[in-house]
Amino acid sequence: MAALDIVKDRSVYRDFTAVGQDSILKVQFEAMQKAGVFKDLSKSFKMPKFSEKIVKHYPDMKLQYVERIASGFSPMSIAYTDTPKFEWKISNDKAKIGEYNTQKATTEFGGRKWIAWFTTDLPFQDGPYKFSGLPGLIVKIEDEGKNYSWVLQGNKKVPNWDELTYMEKLSNLSLKVTEMPREKFEKTFNDFKKDPFASARPMMTQAIMSQTIPGMDGTVGDMMKKQEKMYKDFFSANDNPIEITVQTTDKKKNKHFISTKLYLNQPKCILVFGLISFIKPVI
């Protein structure tokens, strides 16, 4: 499930899993603090389907593509900026998708041909992922090969919207991002995927690695091995990027059906795209 959160000056596209379970984790964490007993809350987490966050800034639609990596023991957000120009071809084809009256449009982007259905029933000219530029909200969009398909499933007003979740705040994550050229971003993130704990490992002495963690089974070293496997399992499974950079012909790629749930919060509008995907989730 994915979310497109719309506020006055921007939209934020991200996985909805962390947002959806945030209130439950908050209650569990506060109860743990009150009792003074540590528990392994990782067993309560549901893993997201994808890791990127895309922020589109209004009105020019300049976007930030954000990923999270580690800098030592601290989370760090890196990003590149982009202003994609979509050459939409709007047809006369119309259809009813859910409760919305929509019109068909096509474009090419990221090495794929895309078919979109947009509506003017909602006062937004935006869409999931990097997509925008149509005279209405994109209700459905999929590539010609049906590798990816987002479908709007609902909308909802959300009071007291905050871009950061409770758990993100606890981990000292902020909205600060380190911007860099896309080429450097790709290299930095690829290096992280190959070795998620590269920046922390030099600080991990044998004494630290052998320490036990209150409320958890095993040592610090056991926890790191578990988390490293979790990272690598996801990254190795996600072999079919939305934007194709290297064409692979002899390997069958995973397809992703993205059932889209849209949450609207006026004047803060949260568009949440429910995501059903055949890839493994990422932390």
Side-chain angles (χ1 to χ4, degrees), residues 190-201:
N190 284 333
D191 288 345
F192 172 72
K193 290 191 290 184
K194 291 175 185 175
D195 188 357
F197 292 102
S199 61
R201 192 170 287 109

Side-chain angles (χ1 to χ4, degrees), residues 128-197:
Y129 192 61
K130 295 181 179 180
F131 298 106
S132 66
L134 284 167
L137 177 70
I138 296 173
V139 170
K140 179 179 180 179
I141 184 167
E142 61 186 9
D143 70 291
E144 194 173 54
K146 298 187 185 297
N147 292 276
Y148 283 89
S149 178
W150 289 264
V151 183
L152 178 62
Q153 296 198 336
N155 66 77
K156 177 183 178 182
K157 290 185 177 181
V158 180
N160 304 317
W161 178 82
D162 194 335
E163 186 170 335
L164 290 175
T165 65
Y166 175 77
M167 298 306 291
E168 286 174 333
K169 292 175 182 176
L170 280 181
S171 63
N172 293 320
L173 188 71
S174 71
L175 295 178
K176 179 183 178 181
V177 299
T178 300
E179 288 190 358
M180 57 188 68
R182 184 166 182 174
E183 184 177 351
K184 183 178 179 181
F185 172 93
E186 299 286 1
K187 182 182 184 306
T188 302
F189 191 57
N190 284 333
D191 288 345
F192 172 72
K193 290 191 290 184
K194 291 175 185 175
D195 188 357
F197 292 102

Side-chain angles (χ1 to χ4, degrees), residues 18 47 51 87 122 125 161 212 241 251:
M47 302 298 291
S51 59
E87 296 183 2
L122 295 168
Q125 296 182 6
W161 178 82
T212 57
K251 182 178 180 181

